Amino acid sequence: MDKFIIKCNKNEDLKNTSNIALQNNESNNEVLNKQIFGDADDPVNEIPISRLEKKDRIDKGPYQPKFDFPRTIIGSKYRSFQIEWYNKYSWLEYSKVLDSAFCFYCRVFCLNDPATKGHIDFAFIKKGFKNWHRANECFRNHEKSKGHQHSVSSWSGYTKDKSIDMLLDEQKEVFISKQNQVKIKNRQIMERLIDIVICLAKGGRPFRGHDESKISIARGLFLDLVDLVSKYDPTLKDYLTNGPQNALYTSGKIQNDIIISISNVILRKISHSVQNKLVSIMADETSDCGHREQMAIVLRFFDDKLNSPVEHLVAIRRLTSVDAQAIFNELKVVLSVLKVDWKNVLSVCFDGAAAMSGSVSGVQMRCKELNSNIVYVHCYAHCLNLVLVDACTLDKGNRLIFDFFGIVQFIYTFIEGSCSRHATFEKISNEIGSTLRTLKSLSTTRWAFHAEAVAVIKINYSAILRALTEIIETTKQIKCFNFIFELTMMHPILQLIVKVSKLLQTAFINLRNETEFLNIFNEAKNVCIELEIDIPLVKKWKVSSRFDEFAKTHHYYETKEEELRSLCFYQMLDNMVTSLDLRFQQETIKIINAVGNLLNLKLNKEEAAVLEEKFKISQNELMAEIRLLKAYQTVLTGNSETTLSGWIHWMQENEKYKIYTAFNTAIQTFFCHLRYKLLMRKSVF
C-alpha cells in the first residue's frame, strides 16, 4: 500500500512539472499579449517616460497584488512568493506576468542615477527575482546595497520636492486666493458705501458739501457718515487708511454711479414684476427747487405673491416743455424702459389741466389712441380741492367765506412772520394753559391745509386773540361775530372733506338742516358772550320804490341768525353739493357704483354690462357666480376698500378663485384699475 501511494505522488509531481514547463515555455507573443492586456502597473511594464505619467505611477507606489501565488519546484520542494514579504520589505513589488519580485525604488531611480553606476542589481530591476528559497537573504543584501540606498534617497527627495508645474499651480492658487480676498474685502467696502447711499436717499438728504477737503468741517453728509461708520468699523477704517488713496470710492462721481446702479436694480425688479400684468398709470407734473419742470410717474398693479395691489414710483422725468405731446413722449419712454405694453394699461390718472385731460389732443386722448380701452380718471383728490375752491370763491357770491379765509391767511402771515410775535403767541398759550398748535398756511393745491389751518385757529382762538391784543391795539378783523360764526361753521365742513368718504355729498345734504345750523350759531354766540363780543343786528335795507317797482316783494331778514342761515350756511353747502355733482361726473363713477353693488352681491344687468365691457368678463358667468355666492352665509358685505381686500383673500382660500373666475377677475382688476385717493399733490414733491 505504501509503495502504491509513493508511486501516485511521483506521478502527480511529474504532472505538475510538465505543467510548469509548459508555463515557462510560453512564446514571446503570449508574454507580449500579457504585457499589453495585463495590469498597467505590473513591473513587467517599464516606468512611463512622460513626466506626468511617471509622477502618477510613482505616487501609486509598489505594485503589490494579493492572490494565490503560483508554486514552483525548487530542489525537492514547492516554492512561491509569500504575501507577508510586503509588510517586511516596503519597496518590494510582484509581477503576475513573470512570477518574479522587483525593487520599486531601484526600478524607478537606479538606472538614471550616475552615483549608482556599477552598483546596479538587474535581478531586481530588469529580470526579476524568483529564487524563493533564498528570498529573505537576497532581500536583506539588496537593502544594504549602495544602489538601493541611493534609490531610496532619490525617492525620498522626489516625494518632498515639487515639479515646476506644481509650483506654478501653487503660486497660481496663492494668487487667486489673494485676489479673492481682495474681491471679498472690496465687496464689503462697497456694501457699506451702498448702505450709506440708501440711507441718505431714503431721507432725501443732500450728499455733497461745499468743501470736501479733509480739513473742512462742511464735507457733506456722505463723507461725514463714511467717517462716522469707519470710527466703529475696522474693515472700513483699514481700507480708508491703508487702501489706495486714488481709489477710495467716495468721490461725487462714485456716489452718482452708486445711485444710478441702485436705480437700475430697482427698475429691473419692477420691470420683472409688471411683465404681462394689467397696470394703471398715475402722473403729475410740478417744478422742483431749481425751478425746473418735472413729472412724477407711478405704476399700480396687482401682485399675486402679496395678493394685493402695489404702487411703485418708477420715474421723475424732467420736462423741457409742458405741452401734451412732450408729456406723452416721456410716458412712452418710461413704459418702454419697463417693457410695459400699452395693451396692458387699464387706466391713466391725471389732473384736470387741459394738457393732461384734453379729450381732443390731451395726454389722455393720446394714450387712448394706443389702447381704446384705457379709462381716464381725473384725480379725485384734485376734484375735492376744486369743490372747496368752487364753494369758497367770490364768484359764487359768498363774500363772508371768501373774507374768512383771507383773515385765516392773514393771521398766519402776521403771527408766524415774526419771531417776536410768535414768541408772544407762545407765551400767551402757556399762560392760559392751552395746547400750543403751530399755525398753518393755506394752500391753493391741497384742500387739507385749509382744514388744518381752521382747526388750529379754532383750538387756539383765545390765545390768538389775547396775543393779537397784546401785539396791536385793535383786533377788529377776528374779534367779531361774523368771523367766529364762520370759524365755527367751516370747521365741521372741512373735517368732513378731510375724512374723504363716498357718502360725502349725502353728509353735506344732511348737514343742511335747521338743527345743525342752530348748533353752529349757538356755539359761535356762546364764544362771543364769553369773550364779550357784540352780536350785530341785521342791517335794515330800504329800497326806493321810485327805482324798484317790486320793492314790496323783496325779502328782508329780521335776525342775524336768519341772515347767516340763508346767505352763508345754506349757500356754502348748496355750492359744495352742486360742485360735487359737477366735478365727479366721470366715466369711472359707473364702474365704482357697479363694483360697490358687486361687493354686496346686488348687481343688476346694466351694471353687469358695464363690468363686461370694461373688465372683459362674461356677464352671464358673473351673474351666475353671484347667485352661488349668495348661498354662502359668511360672505362679506360693504363697499369699502377693506371689503374689497377681504373678498380677494377669501378667494384665495382653498383656491375659490378657480370657481368664481369672473367675480375674482372683476375685483382684482378694479383694485389695480382705480383708487379713491389716486395721486399725491404737487406739494409732496
Side-chain angles (χ1 to χ4, degrees):
M1 176 63 78
D2 293 336
K3 292 181 179 179
F4 178 76
I5 293 172
I6 293 171
K7 186 176 181 180
C8 290
N9 289 336
K10 288 182 177 180
N11 291 334
E12 184 68 22
D13 291 342
L14 290 173
K15 184 177 180 181
N16 291 334
T17 302
S18 61
N19 290 335
I20 293 171
L22 289 173
Q23 293 175 2
N24 292 335
N25 291 329
E26 286 180 335
S27 64
N28 292 333
N29 290 335
E30 292 174 339
V31 173
L32 182 61
N33 289 336
K34 289 182 179 179
Q35 291 177 2
I36 295 174
F37 297 106
D39 196 327
D41 296 333
D42 194 292
V44 72
N45 300 315
E46 294 184 357
I47 299 298
I49 299 176
S50 171
R51 179 170 53 84
L52 295 177
E53 293 180 357
K54 180 179 180 180
K55 180 183 181 304
D56 183 65
R57 177 65 189 88
I58 293 174
D59 291 341
K60 290 181 179 179
Y63 181 69
Q64 296 179 341
K66 297 177 181 180
F67 65 103
D68 293 334
F69 298 99
R71 296 187 300 167
T72 303
I73 293 179
I74 300 177
S76 60
K77 295 182 179 179
Y78 286 100
R79 308 280 184 175
S80 67
F81 184 86
Q82 301 299 313
I83 194 170
E84 59 267 17
W85 291 340
Y86 289 148
N87 299 327
K88 193 173 182 180
Y89 308 101
S90 60
W91 48 267
L92 189 64
E93 59 180 356
Y94 176 82
S95 172
K96 288 184 178 182
V97 176
L98 299 179
D99 185 26
S100 302
F102 292 84
C103 175
F104 175 70
Y105 300 150
C106 293
R107 196 164 65 87
V108 175
F109 298 102
C110 191
L111 291 177
N112 299 322
D113 189 354
T116 61
K117 190 174 182 180
H119 302 280
I120 298 175
D121 189 351
F122 287 98
F124 287 93
I125 298 174
K126 290 286 187 180
K127 298 178 181 179
F129 176 84
K130 57 189 310 181
N131 294 327
W132 310 129
H133 61 296
R134 299 180 57 235
N136 283 307
E137 179 185 356
C138 293
F139 291 163
R140 286 193 296 270
N141 291 335
H142 178 74
E143 281 185 332
K144 297 177 183 179
S145 66
K146 185 177 180 180
H148 179 80
Q149 291 177 356
H150 274 285
S151 298
V152 172
S153 178
S154 298
W155 175 82
S156 177
Y158 182 87
T159 54
K160 292 180 181 179
D161 295 336
K162 297 180 179 179
S163 61
I164 185 64
D165 59 325
M166 291 182 62
L167 292 175
L168 291 174
D169 289 342
E170 288 183 355
Q171 291 178 359
K172 186 176 180 180
E173 289 179 1
V174 172
F175 174 77
I176 293 174
S177 176
K178 290 182 178 179
Q179 195 177 44
N180 289 335
Q181 291 177 1
V182 173
K183 287 181 180 179
I184 293 173
K185 186 175 180 180
N186 288 341
R187 288 175 180 174
Q188 291 174 346
I189 299 301
M190 289 306 300
E191 285 178 359
R192 287 154 175 77
L193 297 179
I194 290 172
D195 287 341
I196 293 174
V197 169
I198 292 175
C199 176
L200 292 176
K202 287 173 66 177
R205 304 301 181 187
F207 281 59
R208 308 295 300 279
H210 296 291
D211 182 4
E212 297 185 352
S213 60
K214 291 186 177 180
I215 61 174
S216 173
I217 60 173
R219 303 181 67 198
L221 287 178
F222 180 82
L223 293 179
D224 287 344
L225 281 177
V226 169
D227 291 341
L228 177 63
V229 174
S230 65
K231 184 178 179 181
Y232 302 98
D233 187 343
T235 301
L236 184 58
K237 183 177 181 180
D238 178 69
Y239 179 79
L240 295 176
T241 305
N242 303 320
Q245 296 302 301
N246 62 343
L248 295 179
Y249 299 104
T250 57
S251 68
K253 183 178 179 181
I254 295 299
Q255 295 172 31
N256 292 337
D257 288 343
I258 294 175
I259 294 172
I260 294 172
S261 299
I262 294 173
S263 173
N264 292 335
V265 171
I266 294 174
L267 285 178
R268 281 199 299 269
K269 289 185 177 181
I270 294 175
S271 176
H272 179 73
S273 300
V274 300
Q275 293 304 304
N276 301 320
K277 293 288 184 65
L278 298 175
V279 301
S280 293
I281 303 173
M282 292 169 275
D284 194 14
E285 52 83 22
T286 185
S287 59
D288 61 10
C289 58
H291 304 287
R292 292 184 293 187
E293 201 71 22
Q294 60 183 8
M295 178 172 63
I297 302 173
V298 177
L299 283 190
R300 179 181 174 90
F301 62 94
F302 193 87
D303 192 316
D304 295 327
K305 293 182 180 179
L306 299 177
N307 196 34
S308 64
V310 295
E311 291 179 3
H312 291 296
L313 175 64
V314 295
I316 296 180
R317 306 283 297 187
R318 182 180 177 185
L319 298 175
T320 57
S321 175
V322 291
D323 60 272
Q325 187 60 48
I327 296 174
F328 179 67
N329 290 339
E330 294 298 332
L331 283 176
K332 289 176 62 179
V333 170
V334 172
L335 263 63
S336 176
V337 170
L338 296 175
K339 300 178 181 178
V340 175
D341 197 323
W342 280 96
K343 68 179 181 181
N344 293 329
V345 178
L346 282 172
S347 60
V348 290
C349 175
F350 310 132
D351 59 21
M356 304 294 286
S357 63
S359 59
V360 177
S361 59
V363 178
Q364 68 120 335
M365 183 50 60
R366 296 175 191 272
C367 294
K368 289 184 177 182
E369 289 175 356
L370 299 178
N371 180 0
S372 59
N373 293 322
I374 290 178
V375 176
Y376 162 64
V377 181
H378 184 184
C379 171
Y380 292 159
H382 189 223
C383 288
L384 280 174
N385 185 63
L386 294 176
V387 167
L388 184 64
V389 172
D390 288 343
C392 299
T393 55
L394 188 60
D395 295 339
K396 295 294 183 178
N398 203 332
R399 179 79 191 191
L400 291 175
I401 299 300
F402 179 79
D403 291 342
F404 167 74
F405 282 116
I407 298 172
V408 169
Q409 183 63 27
F410 171 77
I411 293 172
Y412 167 81
T413 304
F414 183 75
I415 294 181
E416 300 297 340
S418 168
C419 295
S420 61
R421 289 195 288 269
H422 178 82
T424 302
F425 171 52
E426 187 174 354
K427 183 191 72 173
I428 297 298
S429 297
N430 293 332
E431 288 177 356
I432 66 176
S434 174
T435 302
L436 181 64
R437 294 276 298 274
T438 304
L439 299 179
K440 305 293 183 181
S441 174
L442 300 181
S443 171
T444 57
T445 56
R446 298 202 68 188
W447 47 266
F449 281 10
H450 288 70
E452 294 176 10
V454 170
V456 170
I457 291 180
K458 189 174 188 299
I459 294 171
N460 295 323
Y461 182 77
S462 297
I464 292 172
L465 198 62
R466 290 184 59 180
L468 292 177
T469 303
E470 186 172 323
I471 295 170
I472 57 177
E473 294 182 358
T474 177
T475 55
K476 292 182 179 180
Q477 284 185 310
I478 68 169
K479 195 176 180 180
C480 65
F481 179 79
N482 284 349
F483 181 83
I484 296 174
F485 173 79
E486 291 145 11
L487 179 65
T488 309
M489 182 188 77
M490 289 305 300
H491 183 259
I493 293 175
L494 291 171
Q495 291 304 312
L496 282 175
I497 296 177
V498 171
K499 304 291 184 181
V500 181
S501 170
K502 290 175 63 179
L503 302 178
L504 185 60
Q505 185 173 349
T506 304
F508 285 144
I509 295 175
N510 293 336
L511 193 62
R512 192 186 186 281
N513 60 68
E514 185 71 19
T515 303
E516 292 291 344
F517 172 76
L518 288 177
N519 291 336
I520 293 171
F521 184 84
N522 290 332
E523 183 180 351
K525 184 177 178 180
N526 293 334
V527 172
C528 290
I529 294 173
E530 181 181 350
L531 298 175
E532 298 180 355
I533 298 174
D534 295 333
I535 301 175
L537 300 176
V538 177
K539 185 177 181 180
K540 300 296 184 180
W541 295 91
K542 183 177 180 181
V543 181
S544 175
S545 59
R546 292 186 300 172
F547 301 102
D548 189 353
E549 57 181 327
F550 301 104
K552 295 182 180 180
T553 61
H554 284 190
H555 179 73
Y556 300 96
Y557 301 105
E558 299 295 334
T559 63
K560 192 66 176 179
E561 174 185 336
E562 184 181 357
E563 180 185 31
L564 291 176
R565 181 194 300 112
S566 177
L567 297 181
C568 183
F569 184 67
Y570 285 170
Q571 184 177 359
M572 174 70 180
L573 293 178
D574 290 343
N575 287 340
M576 297 192 77
V577 171
T578 303
S579 185
L580 282 172
D581 282 334
L582 178 64
R583 296 290 182 181
F584 285 88
Q585 286 301 321
Q586 302 181 26
E587 58 179 328
T588 55
I589 297 299
K590 292 183 179 180
I591 302 177
I592 294 174
N593 291 334
V595 173
N597 289 330
L598 175 67
L599 297 179
N600 289 310
L601 306 180
K602 298 178 180 179
L603 195 70
N604 57 42
K605 291 184 178 180
E606 291 75 14
E607 293 168 337
V610 172
L611 298 182
E612 180 181 39
E613 177 186 356
K614 296 299 182 182
F615 295 167
K616 307 303 178 186
I617 57 178
S618 172
Q619 176 181 349
N620 294 331
E621 290 184 11
L622 183 60
M623 298 302 291
E625 291 173 8
I626 291 175
R627 285 192 290 271
L628 291 175
L629 289 171
K630 287 181 178 179
Y632 281 92
Q633 295 181 354
T634 58
V635 293
L636 304 170
T637 57
N639 48 20
S640 66
E641 189 169 347
T642 303
T643 306
L644 190 59
S645 300
W647 271 112
I648 290 177
H649 290 292
W650 188 82
M651 286 291 173
Q652 291 293 323
E653 297 175 1
N654 301 320
E655 298 184 342
K656 296 187 183 73
Y657 62 87
K658 293 183 178 179
I659 301 174
Y660 306 101
T661 55
F663 189 92
N664 186 67
T665 300
I667 58 178
Q668 278 196 9
T669 305
F670 178 77
F671 219 156
C672 66
H673 198 329
L674 302 169
R675 297 181 66 198
Y676 297 111
K677 301 175 183 177
L678 276 174
L679 198 59
M680 294 180 291
R681 295 305 304 149
K682 297 181 180 180
S683 58
V684 175
F685 302 99

